[in-house]
Short mmCIF file of all heavy atoms in Angstrom, two decimals:
data_model
loop_
_atom_site.label_atom_id
_atom_site.label_comp_id
_atom_site.label_asym_id
_atom_site.label_seq_id
_atom_site.Cartn_x
_atom_site.Cartn_y
_atom_site.Cartn_z
N LEU P 183 100.90 59.86 89.33
CA LEU P 183 101.66 58.69 88.90
C LEU P 183 102.51 58.13 90.05
O LEU P 183 102.78 58.85 91.02
CB LEU P 183 102.60 59.06 87.73
CG LEU P 183 101.93 59.54 86.44
CD1 LEU P 183 102.98 60.07 85.47
CD2 LEU P 183 101.14 58.40 85.80
N SER P 184 102.94 56.88 89.92
CA SER P 184 103.83 56.29 90.94
C SER P 184 105.21 56.93 90.80
O SER P 184 105.50 57.59 89.79
CB SER P 184 103.95 54.79 90.72
OG SER P 184 104.73 54.52 89.57
N GLY P 185 106.06 56.70 91.80
CA GLY P 185 107.40 57.29 91.79
C GLY P 185 108.18 56.93 90.53
O GLY P 185 108.80 57.79 89.90
N GLY P 186 108.14 55.65 90.18
CA GLY P 186 108.88 55.19 89.01
C GLY P 186 108.34 55.82 87.73
O GLY P 186 109.09 56.21 86.84
N GLN P 187 106.99 55.90 87.67
CA GLN P 187 106.37 56.53 86.49
C GLN P 187 106.72 58.01 86.42
O GLN P 187 106.98 58.54 85.34
CB GLN P 187 104.85 56.35 86.54
CG GLN P 187 104.40 54.91 86.25
CD GLN P 187 102.91 54.73 86.48
OE1 GLN P 187 102.33 55.33 87.39
NE2 GLN P 187 102.29 53.89 85.67
N GLN P 188 106.72 58.66 87.59
CA GLN P 188 107.06 60.09 87.61
C GLN P 188 108.48 60.31 87.09
O GLN P 188 108.73 61.26 86.35
CB GLN P 188 106.95 60.64 89.04
CG GLN P 188 105.53 60.81 89.52
CD GLN P 188 105.47 61.51 90.88
OE1 GLN P 188 106.40 62.18 91.29
NE2 GLN P 188 104.36 61.33 91.58
N GLN P 189 109.40 59.40 87.50
CA GLN P 189 110.77 59.58 87.04
C GLN P 189 110.86 59.37 85.53
O GLN P 189 111.56 60.09 84.83
CB GLN P 189 111.72 58.62 87.81
CG GLN P 189 113.21 58.92 87.64
CD GLN P 189 113.65 60.28 88.20
OE1 GLN P 189 113.04 61.32 87.89
NE2 GLN P 189 114.69 60.28 89.00
N ARG P 190 110.12 58.37 85.03
CA ARG P 190 110.14 58.17 83.57
C ARG P 190 109.48 59.36 82.87
O ARG P 190 109.88 59.73 81.76
CB ARG P 190 109.46 56.85 83.21
CG ARG P 190 110.41 55.66 83.40
CD ARG P 190 109.83 54.36 82.91
NE ARG P 190 108.79 53.89 83.82
CZ ARG P 190 107.73 53.18 83.44
NH1 ARG P 190 107.58 52.87 82.16
NH2 ARG P 190 106.84 52.78 84.32
N LEU P 191 108.49 59.96 83.52
CA LEU P 191 107.88 61.16 82.94
C LEU P 191 108.91 62.29 82.87
O LEU P 191 108.97 63.02 81.87
CB LEU P 191 106.66 61.59 83.78
CG LEU P 191 105.95 62.85 83.29
CD1 LEU P 191 105.24 62.60 81.96
CD2 LEU P 191 104.95 63.37 84.33
N CYS P 192 109.71 62.40 83.93
CA CYS P 192 110.73 63.45 83.93
C CYS P 192 111.75 63.20 82.82
O CYS P 192 112.24 64.15 82.20
CB CYS P 192 111.44 63.53 85.28
SG CYS P 192 110.35 64.12 86.58
N ILE P 193 112.04 61.94 82.58
CA ILE P 193 112.96 61.62 81.48
C ILE P 193 112.29 61.94 80.14
O ILE P 193 112.91 62.51 79.24
CB ILE P 193 113.43 60.14 81.56
CG1 ILE P 193 114.25 59.93 82.84
CG2 ILE P 193 114.26 59.77 80.33
CD1 ILE P 193 114.64 58.50 83.12
N ALA P 194 110.98 61.62 80.04
CA ALA P 194 110.24 61.95 78.81
C ALA P 194 110.26 63.47 78.59
O ALA P 194 110.43 63.95 77.46
CB ALA P 194 108.81 61.44 78.91
N ARG P 195 110.10 64.21 79.68
CA ARG P 195 110.11 65.68 79.60
C ARG P 195 111.48 66.15 79.10
O ARG P 195 111.57 67.08 78.31
CB ARG P 195 109.82 66.25 80.99
CG ARG P 195 109.61 67.74 81.02
CD ARG P 195 109.24 68.20 82.42
NE ARG P 195 110.33 67.97 83.36
CZ ARG P 195 110.19 68.08 84.69
NH1 ARG P 195 109.02 68.37 85.23
NH2 ARG P 195 111.21 67.87 85.48
N THR P 196 112.52 65.47 79.59
CA THR P 196 113.87 65.85 79.18
C THR P 196 114.11 65.56 77.71
O THR P 196 114.65 66.40 76.98
CB THR P 196 114.91 65.08 80.04
OG1 THR P 196 114.67 65.40 81.41
CG2 THR P 196 116.32 65.44 79.67
N ILE P 197 113.70 64.35 77.27
CA ILE P 197 114.02 64.00 75.87
C ILE P 197 113.08 64.68 74.87
O ILE P 197 113.37 64.69 73.68
CB ILE P 197 114.05 62.47 75.63
CG1 ILE P 197 112.71 61.82 75.90
CG2 ILE P 197 115.16 61.82 76.44
CD1 ILE P 197 112.68 60.34 75.57
N ALA P 198 111.98 65.27 75.37
CA ALA P 198 111.04 65.93 74.46
C ALA P 198 111.69 67.11 73.73
O ALA P 198 111.24 67.52 72.66
CB ALA P 198 109.81 66.42 75.22
N ILE P 199 112.75 67.66 74.35
CA ILE P 199 113.42 68.78 73.68
C ILE P 199 114.66 68.29 72.94
O ILE P 199 115.52 69.09 72.55
CB ILE P 199 113.76 69.91 74.67
CG1 ILE P 199 114.51 69.35 75.87
CG2 ILE P 199 112.51 70.65 75.12
CD1 ILE P 199 115.06 70.42 76.78
N ALA P 200 114.74 66.97 72.77
CA ALA P 200 115.83 66.37 71.97
C ALA P 200 117.21 66.87 72.38
O ALA P 200 117.95 67.41 71.56
CB ALA P 200 115.60 66.61 70.48
N PRO P 201 117.56 66.70 73.64
CA PRO P 201 118.89 67.14 74.05
C PRO P 201 119.94 66.19 73.46
O PRO P 201 119.62 65.05 73.15
CB PRO P 201 118.86 67.01 75.58
CG PRO P 201 117.91 65.89 75.82
CD PRO P 201 116.88 65.96 74.73
#
Side-chain angles (χ1 to χ4, degrees):
Chain P
L183 297 171
S184 72
Q187 287 173 325
Q188 287 187 20
Q189 193 64 309
R190 279 186 287 149
L191 179 69
C192 292
I193 296 174
R195 188 176 65 191
T196 302
I197 62 175
I199 51 172

